[in-house]
Amino acid sequence: MDDREQSGRPENLSAVQFLTVAEVAAMMRVSKMTVYRLVHGGELPAARVGRSFRVPKRAVEDYLRHAYFDAG
């Protein structure tokens, strides 16, 4: 595993599917402000494109997988 894979950054960016903040919010069923807080807090990685952010779909899936807990 090279440094880029260990840092959580994908080696082949052309294969990454990026989502807008609005798409992430809809996927997570939270507000856009919550997504911005996760991005600015470093909990959700994102790429800045101009004045907006793009979040890798895999990062959202990983975040939700690790945030999930069984309350039953």
Side-chain angles (χ1 to χ4, degrees):
M1 194 181 293
D2 70 11
D3 290 339
R4 284 178 281 185
E5 290 179 69
Q6 289 177 351
S7 69
R9 293 186 181 136
E11 188 172 335
N12 185 4
L13 287 177
S14 64
V16 178
Q17 182 180 0
F18 287 99
L19 302 172
T20 66
V21 169
E23 290 170 330
V24 174
M27 186 176 178
M28 294 176 71
R29 294 184 178 219
V30 298
S31 70
K32 290 192 295 184
M33 185 54 67
T34 297
V35 177
Y36 283 117
R37 283 189 199 114
L38 291 171
V39 168
H40 288 292
E43 295 181 65
L44 197 58
R48 182 164 230 152
V49 181
R51 294 184 63 202
S52 48
F53 289 98
R54 297 296 181 265
V55 181
K57 184 177 182 182
R58 173 114 188 225
V60 177
E61 293 166 346
D62 289 346
Y63 177 84
L64 291 173
R65 191 175 299 109
H66 289 99
Y68 180 82
F69 70 95
D70 189 3

